[in-house]
Amino acid sequence: MLLTSLLGLIIGSILGLTGAGGGILAVPALVVGLGFSMSEATPVALVAVGLASMLGAIEGLRRKTVRYKAALLMSAVGALTAPLGIWAAGRIPNVWLLTMFSGVMVIVGARMALQAYRTDAHTDDTLPDGKVCIQSTETGRFVWSSATALTLGAIGAVSGLFTGMLGVGGGFIIVPALRHFSNVAMNGVVATSLMVIALISTATVAGAFAGGLTLSTTSWLFIGTTVTGMLLGRLVAPRIPARALQWGFAMICVVVAMIVLAKARGVL
């Protein structure tokens, strides 16, 4: 029970701090740490991450850090491209999918680390220079234009495609993309990513329970502690410099890449 609680707290905290990593880290944690089979771990991870993301998104809405219109747009477009990803996944060998994803994660982590290295700790990287999606300093909302809509739609499309192909959440696409294309602070990027994950997960979770999904006591303990970890992560996140969160995200990307590569090699 202690190990279950500890793993749930860690996964939830990572999700709350970075807006990503929960789903793809939860499955290996359940399989390797708690001895679940892949078929048992997947729905538990989905419920845990979906519920935790939902609460994180609600907290972000309360604090007005979520760009909810952007989240709705990305979710809607992602829902359209996810079936294409599923179709592609059925035609590409799994080992190549996982290896490709590992490579993407290393690149994303390296870019985020480079961005964190270049970020001045006092500016929080919020200046709009070179950004396509501009957050107004007066209203705190995006200044919408055709370029803004197309960029956010493209982020949602790529996120949905990878979600369909690899069966993981879209946070690893959304977080670095929003950091690159927008001037939204890291805390707002994380909150927006959580809302997208929550929206995409809700329908899947509902369908799973409608199909007769039942969970064990250990599963519910993991879910509960994941939610608790999420709340703790969101509570602490505003007090952590954006650059530190970016470094953390970059390191998690590398860890995830190693986990996925190990899975591709049959180690996990």
Side-chain angles (χ1 to χ4, degrees):
M1 291 298 180
L2 180 61
L3 180 59
T4 302
S5 300
L6 181 61
L7 289 174
L9 286 172
I10 292 172
I11 297 299
S13 298
I14 291 172
L15 186 60
L17 288 171
T18 67
I24 201 166
L25 292 177
V27 172
L30 289 166
V31 172
V32 178
L34 301 180
F36 280 49
S37 67
M38 283 296 295
S39 60
E40 292 171 335
T42 301
V44 175
L46 182 64
V47 174
V49 172
L51 184 57
S53 298
M54 184 180 298
L55 292 180
I58 292 172
E59 183 268 345
L61 287 169
R62 184 179 64 82
R63 292 177 178 270
K64 298 183 179 180
T65 56
V66 176
R67 306 277 59 85
Y68 64 91
K69 291 181 181 178
L72 289 171
L73 175 59
M74 288 187 285
S75 299
V77 178
L80 295 176
T81 57
L84 180 60
I86 295 173
W87 176 86
R91 289 158 177 79
I92 301 175
N94 191 58
V95 64
W96 286 108
L97 284 174
L98 295 176
T99 302
M100 176 181 66
F101 185 69
S102 297
V104 170
M105 286 301 93
V106 171
I107 293 171
V108 167
R111 287 182 61 85
M112 188 65 84
L114 181 61
Q115 189 178 41
Y117 179 76
R118 292 176 174 175
T119 298
D120 188 293
H122 301 291
T123 63
D124 197 23
D125 212 23
T126 56
L127 294 177
D129 296 343
K131 306 294 185 179
V132 178
C133 306
I134 305 300
Q135 184 182 28
S136 171
T137 55
E138 297 178 358
T139 65
R141 301 175 180 176
F142 275 133
V143 179
W144 284 89
S145 65
S146 57
T148 301
L150 287 172
T151 300
L152 293 172
I155 294 172
V158 174
S159 174
L161 187 66
F162 273 86
T163 298
M165 282 198 299
L166 303 169
V168 299
F172 279 110
I173 301 297
I174 297 166
V175 172
L178 282 180
R179 286 297 288 171
H180 180 76
F181 290 108
S182 80
N183 65 325
V184 178
M186 187 65 179
N187 197 38
V189 168
V190 170
T192 303
S193 174
L194 290 175
M195 184 171 180
V196 176
I197 295 170
L199 289 172
I200 293 175
S201 298
T202 297
T204 309
V205 169
F209 278 110
L213 174 66
T214 58
L215 301 177
S216 66
T217 302
T218 301
S219 299
W220 281 115
L221 177 60
F222 179 82
I223 292 167
T225 51
T226 299
V227 171
T228 302
M230 154 67 72
L231 295 177
L232 291 174
R234 295 306 299 143
L235 183 66
V236 173
R239 296 172 172 80
I240 300 177
R243 187 165 60 174
L245 290 177
Q246 287 177 288
W247 276 116
F249 184 94
M251 288 187 289
I252 290 169
C253 280
V254 175
V255 172
V256 168
M258 295 302 100
I259 290 173
V260 173
L261 190 59
K263 185 178 177 181
R265 298 288 182 176
V267 178
L268 293 179

